[in-house]
Structure formats: C-alpha cells, structure tokens
Amino acid sequence: MGTRGSTRTRNHNPGLAGGGAGGGGRYHRPPVPNLRPPKGTDDVLPPESRTWRQVLRAWDDWSERFGYELVMTPLFEATDLFERGVGESTEVVRKQMYTFEDRGGRSVTLRPEGTASVVRAYLNAGIQGEWKGAYSGPMFRYERPQGGRRRQFWQTGVEHLGTERPTADAEVIELGYRFLVDLGVPGVEVQINSLGDAVDRPAYVAELTAYLEARRDQLCADSIETMAVNPLRVLDCKTCAPILGDAPTPDQHLGTEAAEAYEEVKARLAAADVPFVEAPRLVRGLDYYTRTAFEYVGGELDIAQVALGGGGRYDGLAEEIGGRRVPGVGLAMGIDRIIVALGEAIPAAALDGFVVTVAGRNAESAGLVSQLRRAGLRVDAADPERSVKSQFKAADRSGAPTTIVVGDEWDEGLVRTKRMADGTETDIEIQELAAWLS
Ligand code: HAM
C-alpha cells in the first residue's frame, strides 16, 4: 500500500515531469512551485492513511494489553544525548543525524530513535525501580531514501526499565510479534541473538578483529570502513556474508550469566508460544545493546528493508548518558515498513454509514447523523443541497458499506438503507438504526 503513488506523495524526481526534458526544452513553461514534500518524507492521505490509523490503533491496543503506559519525549534533544547513547561509531551518529545549531547556539538533533530519550526522561524524573513506557511518533535519519527507508519515518516502541529479568526480554519480543501477527503481516519471523555483557565484549571483539584482518583483502570497501569503527557490524554485511561463514559470533562468547539469561529468554518465548529462530550473526545497528538482541522480518520486502522492527537489552545505556545504572530492554517497530509489508490489502472502510438526504429533510438528517455519532458509529453525510444522485456518488466514494436515505419514510419512523455491496434495500426503524448498523 505504501507504494501507491496517488495517495502517498513522494519526492521522486526534480520537477521536470511532463515538462522541458521530453520536449527538448523548446517550450517555455511557467515555473511550477515545488509542492512535493522534502526528499525522503511523505504526505499520507486517504485511503492509505486508513491503514495507518488501523495500525497505530492496533499498536495502542497491544502496548496497553502488555501494561505499557504512554510516554512522550521531545522530537529534538541535545546532540550529545545521541552521540553518547546511540554511540559515536554507529552509522546513525556518524552519517544520519539531522543536527543543527539553534538560535541560542546549542547543538540539537532531531531524534533518530526513541530509546535514549526515554531513558533520559526516566532518569530526569527521578523514577526508581521498574517502569514501562510506550511511544509512537516520527524519527529522523538522513538515509538514502527508498520504499520503507525514509528520512522521516514512524516508530512505535516500548522500553521496560529497571529490571534485568529475562522475562521482560521475552515479554517485549512477544509484544512485537503479537502486534505484527494481529495486523496480518505475512510470514513474520522473530530472529534472536545474545550479544553478551560489556565485560565479555573486548575478548570477543579482539578475536573477531583478528579473523577479519586475516580476510581483509576479501572484504568489501564498506566492511573495511566499518571494521575500523565497529567490527561487529561487519557480521551484518550481506555482501561479505559468503566469506564470513565461519566467523566467530557473539553467542559463542557469552559469560555464564549472559548465557543463562539467553536460555531463559528462549524458554519464556517457547512458553508464550512465540516461534523464533536463532540468528548468531544478528548484531543491530546501535551501540547500546547487551545480551538479548532481536529483529522481526516478514512481508514482501526486499533485502534493504527487511527489518520491520527490532530491539534488545541495553543495561549500560543509562550510565552512558550520564545517569546511574538502570538496566532496560525495549523494541521499536518501523511503521512505514509494516505498511509496505501489508501489501495491497484493501483497507477496511473508514465509515459505518453514509447519509443521503432527500429535499426538505435537512433538519431530520442532521439530527440523525448527530444521534448515530453519539451512539459510537462512524457516520458522514453528503451536502444535502446537492441532488440525490450526486449524494449517492459521494456515498459510493466514501467506501461506507451502508447508505442511509432520509426521505418521506421518516414520517412513519423509518429510514431506507442500502447495502452498497449488492444494492439490497431495507427500511429500518429510526430507533433501531444504530443497533442495526453496528
Ligand atoms: P532500529 O533497528 O534502528 O532500532 O529501528 C527500529 C526499526 O525502525 C527498524 O527495524 C525499522 O523497521 C525502522 N526504521 C529504522 N530506520 C528507518 C528508516 N530510515 N525508514 C523507515 N523505517 C526505519 C531502534 O531505533 C531502537 N531504538 C529500538 C529499541 C528500542 N531498542 C531498544 N529499545
């Protein structure tokens, strides 16, 4: 659905479309104001926005069911928060942040992700102990735009702070899985790994670096660059994968506690009927992860945009950003990608009913619309001054499954209803209408 150009306006090409290029520049065309959204951003309009509403509602529902309360943090933060939190060696911090100086001379950055901000907010509020927060909103990364990879994109996420229990990891993983399955994303797969504790990391990184150095002349240029700043990320390189088949992986280098925790996460997932596959090369793109790391893949996505969401445990992040030690685990789902993964499914109607008004029945019609809305139904009406024929066209366009005609039957306490799918007409008592529609 995300690819339907008519409803989601993208900044594809510079504005010569239909103009000078094809005509060899012979015709003078008046300058057309550029009304496209900035590169890598989208306007989301109906009907595609219907799917967005459904997806975001499902997110609110699932995150509430799992006990996460809403948390809201600013769309921009001091740049330092992300440099320290997300990590200076990451692609996100090195190449993708929207960073600028504000009028007061402070360096600020549009948030590229939500976790660092939520941990900052938890610390700032002086909260102690366990705490669960859910968020939903736009994030910003200067990426090379393509379908499902945007410069402004929407994440929904949760963070569970103040606990090291592996049960929390399994619960977070289950939440993302239930959300995707409920939406109907085809072929959802949960991939998990353990990256071990910070204390186990140096020995492993040294072994991996030696392994990579021995194959330096076979690595792609990107991997050679990545190796210098974050050797783990090389494991993630699709180009180099064939020559790295026997590379040492983090899960083989876990300390005792991290290994036990990983076993428990897997046992908890099995107990909650969450299918998963172990992905020893899964390393994630942000620096703060310790122990559990996971991603969701699925849908009809190409390799560049496979992860529909991901997350993991980050027991050192709070200290990295200047706070006390607060363990945590969380996830973020990429809503733009999930919309793409849902494919061309027709979104459900945005309305339950659409009202058409016969001349002289405006007051009755307006009262009925109000009454139905107050009864909890989603109802809209055409301009009653227009002909019934043109009102029916509007009813058709609205996608509502039922049209309600307010006409002379009103005097007998009735309205005429029409089921749009097959044209069946039925007279319904006005008092019964709300119940009948729902
Ligand atoms: P992330 O893997 O960087 O993790 O992003 C999570 C998801 O956001 C990705 O799996 C993807 O679906 C989506 N995403 C990322 N970049 C883009 C983009 N440019 N365009 C469209 N979608 C995108 C995080 O951000 C962590 N904060 C997740 C987390 C929460 N870890 C612990 N708690």
Side-chain angles (χ1 to χ4, degrees), residues 92 112-115 135 141 143 148-151 153-155 158-159 284-286 288-289 295 307-314 329-337:
V92 170
E113 62 104 49
T115 310
Y135 52 92
R141 295 184 193 176
E143 301 230 38
R149 188 177 291 279
R150 319 299 298 148
R151 289 185 173 171
F153 58 99
W154 197 283
Q155 277 188 352
V158 293
E159 311 298 344
R284 310 274 302 130
L286 314 170
Y288 48 62
Y289 293 107
E295 286 184 347
L308 300 172
R313 178 162 281 287
Y314 44 84
V329 61
L331 66 73
M333 308 302 295
I335 301 302
D336 304 69
R337 288 187 196 178

Side-chain angles (χ1 to χ4, degrees), residues 166-209:
T167 327
D169 307 37
E171 185 189 85
V172 166
I173 296 171
E174 182 184 0
L175 166 59
Y177 176 73
R178 299 279 169 236
F179 170 61
L180 291 172
V181 169
D182 182 34
L183 291 175
V185 176
V188 177
E189 185 176 287
V190 180
Q191 302 182 341
I192 64 169
N193 194 14
S194 177
L195 304 180
D197 286 317
V199 287
D200 308 324
R201 196 69 61 80
Y204 167 62
V205 170
E207 188 180 330
L208 177 64
T209 307

Side-chain angles (χ1 to χ4, degrees), residues 43-115:
D43 299 320
V44 184
L45 305 176
E48 191 196 10
S49 56
R50 283 185 204 162
T51 313
W52 277 80
R53 259 197 175 160
Q54 285 168 12
V55 169
L56 293 176
R57 280 196 179 131
W59 168 259
D60 283 345
D61 179 28
W62 278 105
S63 57
E64 274 192 312
R65 281 200 223 181
F66 276 67
Y68 288 88
E69 290 219 56
L70 183 64
V71 51
M72 293 188 280
T73 62
L75 263 62
F76 62 88
E77 296 270 6
T79 301
D80 177 60
L81 176 72
F82 301 117
E83 285 173 348
R84 296 210 274 169
V86 173
E88 306 225 48
S89 75
T90 60
E91 190 98 329
V92 170
V93 169
R94 287 192 300 135
K95 300 183 182 165
Q96 298 181 336
M97 294 209 301
Y98 280 90
T99 297
F100 56 96
E101 208 171 87
D102 71 8
R103 286 168 188 272
R106 303 169 198 89
S107 178
V108 293
T109 295
L110 298 184
R111 64 180 185 191
E113 62 104 49
T115 310

Side-chain angles (χ1 to χ4, degrees), residues 229-419:
V229 283
N230 189 352
L232 256 72
R233 290 290 297 162
V234 178
L235 289 180
D236 215 20
C237 174
K238 307 283 183 285
T239 319
C240 298
I243 58 157
L244 300 179
D246 59 350
T249 53
D251 63 312
Q252 301 159 342
H253 294 75
L254 303 180
T256 317
E257 285 180 19
E260 280 172 12
Y262 190 35
E263 289 310 310
E264 189 162 350
V265 172
K266 289 186 275 185
R268 294 290 172 154
L269 287 174
D273 292 325
V274 178
F276 60 88
V277 294
E278 288 183 64
R281 307 163 77 88
L282 191 157
V283 290
R284 310 274 302 130
L286 314 170
D287 266 0
Y288 48 62
Y289 293 107
T290 53
R291 299 195 177 183
T292 313
F294 58 90
E295 286 184 347
Y296 306 90
V297 299
E300 303 148 6
L301 298 178
D302 73 28
I303 203 93
Q305 28 163 273
V306 280
L308 300 172
R313 178 162 281 287
Y314 44 84
D315 292 343
L317 174 58
E319 278 169 304
E320 287 298 333
I321 65 170
R324 60 181 197 279
R325 184 185 146 77
V326 179
V329 61
L331 66 73
M333 308 302 295
I335 301 302
D336 304 69
R337 288 187 196 178
I338 290 169
I339 302 270
V340 175
L342 285 170
E344 292 289 326
I346 305 292
L351 292 172
D352 300 308
F354 194 92
V355 173
V356 162
T357 311
V358 171
R361 297 285 176 178
N362 292 10
E364 293 89 331
S365 164
L368 181 69
V369 168
S370 168
Q371 187 196 323
L372 292 173
R373 287 174 176 163
R374 280 177 280 153
L377 290 154
R378 302 170 305 166
V379 175
D380 208 354
D383 177 355
E385 301 300 332
R386 291 165 57 195
S387 70
V388 166
K389 191 174 165 197
S390 111
Q391 290 187 54
F392 260 103
K393 278 190 190 155
D396 235 356
R397 277 197 303 273
S398 79
T402 307
T403 298
I404 302 136
V405 186
V406 178
D408 294 339
E409 302 82 6
W410 187 272
D411 295 333
E412 292 143 50
L414 298 172
V415 286
R416 179 147 299 169
T417 64
K418 182 174 174 185
R419 200 159 66 193

